[in-house]
Amino acid sequence: MIEIAVGILIGLCALGAGVGNGLIVSRTVEGVARQPEARGALQTIMFIGVGLVEALPIIGVVFGFILLGR
């Protein structure tokens, strides 16, 4: 039963990260289209946001391994 829970956990973490990354990148592209001169600042903020969003699946995988180790 724990294996199924870990699979769902990791799948939902990946889904959340995919949606979050899509929103971040789409809003960055929108911002660059509106203000091309702000590209550098927006790109920096985008990379920080993507890094923070990518932490979620990593934490989920670690938590899953902890659960499987019991």
Side-chain angles (χ1 to χ4, degrees), residues 9-19 56-57:
L9 169 74
I10 293 172
L12 288 176
C13 286
L15 180 69
V19 170
L56 174 71

Side-chain angles (χ1 to χ4, degrees), residues 1 4 7-8 11-12 16 18-20 22 24 26 30 33 36 38 40 49 51-54 56-57 60-61 68 70:
M1 196 67 160
I4 295 172
I8 292 172
L12 288 176
V19 170
I24 290 170
S26 71
E30 244 178 67
L52 291 172
V53 168
E54 283 299 319
L56 174 71
V61 168
L68 285 177
R70 286 186 172 184

Side-chain angles (χ1 to χ4, degrees), residues 15-45:
L15 180 69
V19 170
N21 284 336
L23 288 173
I24 290 170
V25 173
S26 71
R27 299 298 166 100
T28 302
V29 170
E30 244 178 67
V32 170
R34 290 179 186 206
Q35 280 189 310
E37 66 274 2
R39 178 177 180 249
L42 290 174
Q43 194 172 25
T44 302
I45 294 170

